[in-house]
């Protein structure tokens, strides 16, 4: 194992941010990039969001696609670490990519709005993290605003998300009375100066909370309250242990305000030291260690280019082992075809640049003309397939109605290709061959319709269907054959001809699972 490779692996931190829209993901991202020197002015990341109110006009999304390639992966250096932040699109562009991106990270930061608590999208994204026991740090944001009581917020994480919390800092007041946070971990007081940036001068080391220093810094009443809070908190919650965090059992929680850049640096400093470097990954026949000399990686996302005349796309490759060297021959294990990426790009915050080398944990962009699929493994020749890059159940289903019978072929080809990109999932109803498109975000339908028309010349309409979930089903052959003929309405085939059960309600799904014990229902396409 080369020393250089080990050093490069150990200094990499590849993560994603999970949050509900408006919790502060963009603001936090921007602050992290500012620390990394990747951007110099506030507002650089915001430009993406600025148009979000206009995105009911989905043309905007098309325009944004260029920007979203650039912000899909934001790489930056901080204190000697190479940090790769993978974007998890929210708002209207929330889609399966958002889920799948989380299969390419080594850890995640969860941002919660302290005035709202745990919200729906956070919950969904966390479920994906839990499948892989992804370690999660929590940033309890917006403490400068009146919010819920900190204990209530921590209880909510435990109850709703099923994780043990470990507060690393504690807010002193909230909203108008907010004075700063006490870092339980570093035993220091970080004072909040409204409208001012956090600086070293605002940090007071307090080794003993009983000292009068504390009263002098925040006033007697607040000091009394803080002493009481810390006694309670340290008595109730466990001390941080790295192991439990790395197993995804415990989430360290930091209180702060992304907008005021408050408490962000403390979390980042903690993150670089404790968050995992690239980890070994499972394949269908062995575990691959990042320090193995031979290159391997997988495709987790495919992004079509803007220009409809050239159907070239960018495939996002997560490197799992070895060094990637530009121009070297790689094998696509699924097709056995050799590819030789000639202009691989690295993503450094808002710019893309062609690179000669990359290491485990890094994400590179490869130009593709339709040979790569999401989930593909690339190696130097070994026949292994990385696991854990499944499809997730869509939540909105619509039947495709072909509006131009002369363009049926184009329609089918377009649907297939767009679904390969991960824009949506395509199902075929078992009983009558109807094409059903499933997505996790409503806007995807407009995007598909638009792109089918402009890139494939095919016109279609979508008729709503009452389903809310697709479950992949397995059972011994004779049982499944019998079952699918009795359930004509709810049974469809996915793009790989696997049976799925389409459920109308959570309740009906649960009933079906109970009533059909011989059938296994899977919530992702990988089991
Ligand atoms: P998102 O990417 O998770 O959707 O959230 P984003 O960062 O865009 O933040 C959503 C809103 O919350 C923004 O306000 C942002 O300024 C605000 N915000 C983020 N962090 C904090 C914080 O620590 N304290 C307070 N008080 N507000 C915060 P907006 O009005 O929607 O947008 P803008 O006009 O400020 O850009």
């Amino acid at each position: 194992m080369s020393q250089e490779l080990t050093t490069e692996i150990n200094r990499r931190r590849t993560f994603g941010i999970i949050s509900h829209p408006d919790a502060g993901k963009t603001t936090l991202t921007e602050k992290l990039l500012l620390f990394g020197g990747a951007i110099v002015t506030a507002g650089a990341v915001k430009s993406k969001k600025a148009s979000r109110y206009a995105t009911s006009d989905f043309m905007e999304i098309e325009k944004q696609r260029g920007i979203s390639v650039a912000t899909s992966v934001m790489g930056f250096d901080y204190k000697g670490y190479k940090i790769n932040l993978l974007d998890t699109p929210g708002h209207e562009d929330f889609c399966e990519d958002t889920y799948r991106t989380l299969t390419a990270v080594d850890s995640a930061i969860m941002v919660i709005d302290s005035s709202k608590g745990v919200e729906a999208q956070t919950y969904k994204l966390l479920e994906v993290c839990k499948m892989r026991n992804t370690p999660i740090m929590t940033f309890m944001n917006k403490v400068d605003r009146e919010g819920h009581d900190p204990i209530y917020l921590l209880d909510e994480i435990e109850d709703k998300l099923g994780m043990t919390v470990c507060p690393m800092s504690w807010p002193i007041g909230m909203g108008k009375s907010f004075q700063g946070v006490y870092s339980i971990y570093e035993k220091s007081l970080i004072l909040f100066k409204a409208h001012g940036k956090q600086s070293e001068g605002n940090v007071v080391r307090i080794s003993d909370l009983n000292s009068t220093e504390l009263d002098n810094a925040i006033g007697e009443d607040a000091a009394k309250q803080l002493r009481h809070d810390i006694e309670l908190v340290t008595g109730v919650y466990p001390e941080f242990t790295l192991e439990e965090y790395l197993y995804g059992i415990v989430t360290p929680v930091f209180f702060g305000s992304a907008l005021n850049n408050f408490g962000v640096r403390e979390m980042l400093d903690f993150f670089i030291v404790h968050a995992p470097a690239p980890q070994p990954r499972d394949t269908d026949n062995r575990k691959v260690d990042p320090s193995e000399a031979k290159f391997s990686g997988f495709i987790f996302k495919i992004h079509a280019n803007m220009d409809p005349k050239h159907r070239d796309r960018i495939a996002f490759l997560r490197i799992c082992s070895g060094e990637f060297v530009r121009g070297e021959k790689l094998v696509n294990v699924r097709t056995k075809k050799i590819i030789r990426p000639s202009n691989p790009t690295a993503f450094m915050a808002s710019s893309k640049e062609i690179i000669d080398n990359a290491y485990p944990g890094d994400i590179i962009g490869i130009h593709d003309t339709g040979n790569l699929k999401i989930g593909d493994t690339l190696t130097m020749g070994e026949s292994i397939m990385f696991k854990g890059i499944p499809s997730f159940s869509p939540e909105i289903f619509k039947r495709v109605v072909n509006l131009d019978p002369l363009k049926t072929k184009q329609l089918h080809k377009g649907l297939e290709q767009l679904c390969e990109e991960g824009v949506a999932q395509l199902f075929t109803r078992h009983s009558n061959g109807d094409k059903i498109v499933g997505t996790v975000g409503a806007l995807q339908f407009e995007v598909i319709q638009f792109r089918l028309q402009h890139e494939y010349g095919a016109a279609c309409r979508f008729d709503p269907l009452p389903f809310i979930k697709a479950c992949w089903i397995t059972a011994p052959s004779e049982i499944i054959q019998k079952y699918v003929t009795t359930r004509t309405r709810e049974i469809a085939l996915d793009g790989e001809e696997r049976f799925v059960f389409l459920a109308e309600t959570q309740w009906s799904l649960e009933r079906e699972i109970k009533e059909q014990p011989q059938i296994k229902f899977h919530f992702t396409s990988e089991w």
Side-chain angles (χ1 to χ4, degrees):
M1 174 194 323
S2 93
Q3 187 55 44
E4 191 199 347
L5 182 59
T6 317
T7 310
E8 290 298 338
I9 294 168
N10 289 340
R11 75 183 194 95
R12 272 166 172 73
R13 300 287 182 270
T14 300
F15 79 107
I17 297 182
I18 56 177
S19 66
H20 191 82
D22 284 333
K25 184 187 70 158
T26 315
T27 313
L28 180 67
T29 300
E30 188 170 278
K31 296 304 182 295
L32 295 174
L33 295 181
L34 281 167
F35 281 127
I39 51 170
V40 281
T41 49
V45 184
K46 285 264 167 185
S47 59
K48 179 181 172 192
K49 203 201 92 183
S51 65
R52 81 169 200 248
Y53 299 106
T55 48
S56 53
D57 173 4
F58 68 89
M59 281 295 289
E60 268 308 313
I61 273 231
E62 283 294 302
K63 273 194 223 151
Q64 292 301 315
R65 276 148 55 85
I67 299 170
S68 74
V69 168
T71 57
S72 284
V73 183
M74 291 163 274
F76 61 96
D77 288 302
Y78 178 72
K79 294 192 175 171
Y81 289 84
K82 163 82 194 294
I83 300 175
N84 296 310
L85 168 51
L86 275 55
D87 188 28
T88 44
H91 295 292
E92 285 83 356
D93 41 3
F94 181 64
C95 61
E96 222 191 307
D97 269 353
T98 314
Y99 290 142
R100 213 177 285 103
T101 295
L102 293 172
T103 66
V105 302
D106 297 305
S107 71
I109 290 180
M110 170 165 76
V111 181
I112 293 177
D113 179 338
S114 56
S115 65
K116 304 239 177 80
V118 175
E119 295 172 272
Q121 213 172 90
T122 314
Y123 179 80
K124 284 188 202 166
L125 295 170
L126 194 99
E127 288 286 289
V128 179
C129 289
K130 279 192 155 179
M131 283 168 39
R132 296 181 52 242
N133 299 330
T134 307
I136 293 167
M137 280 182 197
T138 302
F139 189 72
M140 199 60 84
N141 193 25
K142 306 195 188 181
V143 284
D144 58 313
R145 288 227 295 232
E146 300 299 331
H148 289 294
D149 178 71
I151 301 267
Y152 169 89
L153 292 164
L154 297 178
D155 280 353
E156 216 188 21
I157 298 180
E158 297 208 321
D159 294 347
K160 284 198 184 161
L161 304 178
M163 298 184 84
T164 304
V165 291
C166 179
M168 308 305 286
S169 63
W170 199 254
I172 303 162
M174 270 216 184
K176 280 198 200 83
S177 65
F178 179 65
Q179 293 207 57
V181 294
Y182 174 69
S183 166
I184 300 172
Y185 183 67
E186 290 180 338
K187 296 207 178 353
S188 59
L189 203 59
I190 304 142
L191 297 175
F192 178 67
K193 300 262 191 299
H195 310 299
K197 279 214 169 96
Q198 181 186 334
S199 71
E200 276 305 305
N202 302 136
V203 180
V204 183
R205 304 262 154 218
I206 300 233
S207 48
D208 179 7
L209 272 182
N210 289 319
S211 90
T212 49
E213 250 182 304
L214 184 68
D215 303 74
N216 296 340
I218 58 174
E220 269 176 39
D221 288 347
K224 200 170 149 200
Q225 181 68 41
L226 181 66
R227 286 183 191 114
H228 170 265
D229 285 352
I230 297 299
E231 194 184 326
L232 184 87
V233 165
T234 47
V236 170
Y237 298 105
E239 248 182 70
F240 174 77
T241 63
L242 186 60
E243 212 173 32
E244 285 176 317
Y245 157 66
L246 292 177
Y247 277 119
I249 301 169
V250 158
T251 178
V253 181
F254 294 82
F255 288 82
S257 164
L259 188 64
N260 293 289
N261 204 355
F262 191 83
V264 177
R265 185 186 278 280
E266 285 68 28
M267 182 178 64
L268 181 59
D269 285 344
F270 185 87
F271 173 84
I272 52 170
V273 177
H274 297 95
Q279 296 296 299
R281 285 196 173 240
D282 283 328
T283 69
D284 53 354
N285 67 12
R286 69 181 187 88
K287 232 184 188 57
V288 170
D289 196 273
S291 61
E292 290 179 21
K294 286 195 175 159
F295 165 88
S296 69
F298 64 85
I299 309 290
F300 65 94
K301 174 172 170 159
I302 288 181
H303 209 295
N305 249 351
M306 310 270 296
D307 185 350
K309 282 186 226 87
H310 301 104
R311 199 159 289 141
D312 65 329
R313 327 188 276 183
I314 298 176
F316 288 73
L317 171 73
R318 149 90 201 206
I319 302 177
C320 297
S321 70
E323 182 181 347
F324 171 87
V325 181
R326 178 181 171 192
E328 250 179 12
K329 275 196 270 180
L330 305 177
V331 176
N332 179 351
V333 176
R334 178 178 56 86
T335 60
K336 311 269 181 295
K337 275 192 187 155
I338 288 177
I339 62 165
R340 203 192 279 264
S342 51
N343 290 321
T345 46
F347 303 92
M348 292 301 286
S350 52
S351 70
K352 279 194 296 169
E353 54 186 46
I354 293 180
I355 42 122
D356 293 319
N357 311 71
Y359 298 91
D362 285 342
I363 312 297
I364 53 175
I366 298 179
H367 284 278
D368 170 48
T369 46
N371 296 315
L372 295 169
K373 261 193 189 179
I374 289 170
D376 276 354
T377 296
L378 302 183
T379 67
M380 309 277 296
E382 189 180 353
S383 190
I384 44 172
M385 289 292 270
F386 282 103
K387 296 206 304 194
I389 318 133
S391 296
F392 298 89
S393 173
E395 287 163 22
I396 309 166
F397 296 82
K398 292 190 180 181
R399 189 168 73 89
V400 184
V401 182
N402 185 358
L403 296 181
D404 183 355
L406 294 175
K407 295 280 170 65
T408 305
K409 237 173 147 180
Q410 285 87 334
L411 178 70
H412 286 176
K413 189 168 172 213
L415 281 171
E416 243 166 60
Q417 289 193 345
L418 293 181
C419 289
E420 264 174 34
E421 261 176 42
V423 176
Q425 284 181 62
L426 185 62
F427 301 99
T428 309
R429 193 175 248 150
H430 187 47
S431 56
N432 60 8
D434 273 357
K435 295 285 176 206
I436 297 172
V437 168
T439 70
V440 286
L443 198 75
Q444 300 298 317
F445 287 101
E446 289 176 60
V447 172
I448 295 169
Q449 214 167 20
F450 175 83
R451 291 187 58 192
L452 282 172
Q453 183 85 58
H454 287 256
E455 295 173 33
Y456 299 87
C460 75
R461 187 184 80 217
F462 290 111
D463 283 354
L465 289 169
F467 304 116
I468 55 133
K469 198 165 229 154
C471 281
W472 285 263
I473 49 172
T474 52
S477 164
E478 50 304 354
I479 292 177
I480 201 112
Q481 287 307 334
K482 195 164 155 212
Y483 178 68
V484 299
T485 46
T486 57
R487 282 281 189 284
T488 46
R489 218 176 90 76
E490 297 104 328
I491 300 295
L493 292 157
D494 75 357
E496 292 175 34
E497 311 257 299
R498 293 174 297 192
F499 285 118
V500 295
F501 174 82
L502 302 171
E504 281 194 27
T505 61
Q506 191 60 32
W507 180 81
S508 66
L509 177 61
E510 278 160 25
R511 190 194 54 194
E512 197 69 12
I513 294 172
K514 221 189 245 160
E515 286 178 2
Q516 305 291 341
Q518 71 283 36
I519 310 247
K520 280 211 169 88
F521 291 76
H522 310 272
F523 293 92
T524 72
S525 66
E526 205 172 77
W527 52 81

